[in-house]
Amino acid sequence: MTAVNRLETDRRFMAAAIRLSHKHSGRTATNPSVGTLIVRDDGTGPMIVGSGVTAIGGRPHAEAEALAEAGALARGATAYVTLEPCAHHGRTPPCANALATAGVVRVVGAATDPDTRVSGKGYAILRQAGIEVVEGVLAEEAADQMAGYLIRSLKKRPQVILKIALSSDGMVGRSGEGQVAISGPLSRRMVHLMRAQSDAILVGIGTALADDPELTVRLDGLEGRSPVRIVLDRQLRLSPTSKLVQTASRVPVMVAAGIDADPARRMALEAASVKILATDSHEGRIALPEFLEDLAAMGIANLMVEGGPETARAFLDESLVDRIVLFHGVGEIGAGGIVSPLRNTDMPKDFRRLRVAGYCKDRFEEWVRKI
Ligand code: AOF
Ligand code: ZN
């Protein structure tokens, strides 16, 4: 096989490993959802003999799953791993050692692991065992899939995903009217799917009061996948009769409140199963960097910010947004419209457009910045 053909083959199998890794996105706790393929070539072309993805909850790791499936066929094979194999002893021996013991002769890796127990060490173990290692194949694509894990490891805060639904005239709603339909049913389902893959959904108190949203996942079969819902509410204005509070015993609600918030309001919300997070303020607002650090410490790696415009602005102004998803609806809002905090024509300049899609009549755009 020529070097060019080999690189093409490696990219093809790594792309497949990345697709596989999506299977458990959002379901592996603080672990990334990694994909592994074991591929062997007995002269008739490469063939997948084992595949694995990090198990729900984060263990076993992807390599262990794939090696178990491959069994003796792993001997002499190539392993494609979307993240550098681990080098630390957890509940099982390191994956790097497991690959060597199984007789894998070549490992192709994508993203490098920032975890200090692993970084560089996983690849070193493999090389010491005489295994050929190729690093960084489709590294950016793999990093994009596990962005929450990487950002939490590197920046000690969750990945912040900002979602905005805009009308054709660039509005996000109409003043005083609560929830206004902007995007179509397919877009809404996509939002619910994104919620299901997130660890938390956040809104500001303005949106909580104006829209009385539920912020749950309402897709057939995925009802149990609603993540924790968070409201930024310095003065505890959230009503005990709101849908959020009324459903708090079923799907958790956390409220970020100022340290000086009214104790009676606090007690009323706590009595309804709402968890109050006492949070520092800065210039009359919740101090977002510190708050995000607290969320990361709680294990939250992916945070979806769903509104409203002021909250979006606050995150954008502090450069705390990593990914922006825009749902452009076809209807017009016109007079009394609330202007979107952001349009695709005035994106922060460090963002690039990753993906465009059509969801029925709506146009979807996904923008990211470098981790
Ligand atoms: C792998 N394969 O599938 C995953 C890895 O808590 P533990 O012991 O599971 O370790 C967590 C670390 O394991 C995590 O920070 C990352 O470095 C690595 N994740 N490694 O070899 C996998 N999910
Ligand atoms: Zn491992």
Side-chain angles (χ1 to χ4, degrees):
M1 201 190 275
T2 66
V4 173
N5 283 348
R6 174 156 286 202
L7 181 63
E8 262 320 297
T9 305
D10 286 347
R11 290 170 65 90
R12 190 155 60 85
F13 281 107
M14 188 59 80
I18 294 171
R19 283 197 298 278
L20 174 69
S21 73
H22 282 280
K23 186 174 170 204
H24 288 164
S25 291
R27 308 195 76 188
T28 50
T30 55
N31 240 325
S33 177
V34 174
T36 299
L37 291 178
I38 312 286
V39 177
R40 64 181 291 128
D41 190 343
D42 293 317
T44 52
M47 196 172 76
I48 297 171
V49 292
S51 66
V53 56
T54 312
I56 292 172
R59 281 276 180 174
H61 284 177
E63 293 86 338
E65 303 273 82
L67 287 172
E69 189 177 296
L73 292 175
R75 193 154 295 279
T78 295
Y80 292 87
V81 292
T82 61
L83 179 71
E84 177 178 0
C86 71
H88 65 285
H89 283 266
R91 264 175 276 161
T92 52
C95 289
N97 297 76
L99 289 164
T101 307
V104 165
V105 292
R106 192 167 173 263
V107 172
V108 181
T112 312
D113 194 339
D115 188 321
T116 50
R117 297 171 300 174
V118 178
S119 191
K121 300 186 182 101
Y123 289 138
I125 291 174
L126 296 169
R127 290 196 173 101
Q128 268 156 26
I131 294 172
E132 180 193 347
V133 177
V134 183
E135 295 181 34
V137 173
L138 299 189
E140 249 186 61
E141 288 81 350
D144 185 67
Q145 185 279 332
M146 57 182 86
Y149 166 75
L150 295 175
I151 290 168
R152 181 170 172 270
S153 301
L154 295 166
K155 303 188 179 177
K156 307 292 173 231
R157 64 165 176 80
Q159 169 180 223
V160 174
I161 304 159
L162 175 62
K163 176 229 122 183
I164 305 176
L166 307 89
S167 61
S168 61
D169 52 345
M171 306 291 173
V172 293
R174 201 179 283 118
S175 211
E177 286 195 16
Q179 294 197 37
V180 178
I182 291 176
S183 48
L186 183 55
S187 293
R188 282 206 287 280
R189 295 172 86 88
M190 293 310 292
V191 169
H192 282 239
L193 192 58
M194 288 176 63
R195 286 178 180 171
Q197 293 183 331
S198 300
D199 303 307
I201 306 169
L202 180 146
V203 293
I205 183 62
T207 293
L209 293 176
D211 294 3
D212 192 20
E214 199 173 308
L215 304 175
T216 49
V217 176
R218 296 186 295 280
L219 290 177
D220 279 353
L222 293 182
E223 297 87 350
R225 297 273 303 276
S226 291
V228 55
R229 300 160 297 165
I230 301 173
V231 185
L232 296 182
D233 183 13
R234 211 169 51 83
Q235 295 166 304
L236 288 181
R237 290 154 68 206
L238 186 64
S239 164
T241 60
S242 62
K243 282 189 196 148
L244 282 167
V245 178
Q246 293 287 311
T247 56
S249 54
R250 188 165 53 83
V251 180
V253 174
M254 302 198 298
V255 171
I259 291 154
D260 54 351
D262 179 22
R265 285 180 171 272
R266 181 190 174 115
M267 270 159 57
L269 291 173
E270 279 175 340
S273 304
V274 171
K275 183 168 181 199
I276 309 288
L277 304 169
T279 315
D280 288 338
S281 297
H282 178 68
E283 292 175 355
R285 286 167 169 264
I286 298 283
L288 292 179
E290 288 80 357
F291 179 58
L292 290 181
E293 213 174 286
D294 291 347
L295 295 184
M298 291 163 67
I300 292 172
N302 288 291
L303 173 71
M304 218 172 135
V305 173
E306 288 214 39
E310 268 186 47
T311 300
R313 261 283 133 233
F315 277 90
L316 288 165
D317 286 348
E318 298 208 51
S319 202
L320 290 170
V321 176
D322 303 291
R323 192 176 295 264
I324 300 169
V325 290
L326 301 176
F327 292 87
H328 293 103
V330 285
E332 204 174 283
I333 296 260
I338 303 166
V339 177
S340 173
L342 199 64
R343 301 184 194 203
N344 59 358
T345 46
D346 59 8
M347 281 286 159
K349 56 182 180 316
D350 48 345
F351 277 76
R352 69 182 171 93
R353 197 166 62 187
L354 181 71
R355 212 157 63 87
V356 174
Y359 294 148
C360 293
K361 289 182 186 155
D362 300 343
R363 180 185 161 86
F364 169 83
E365 290 187 14
E366 181 172 359
W367 293 69
V368 287
R369 69 170 177 187
K370 233 181 155 49
I371 294 170

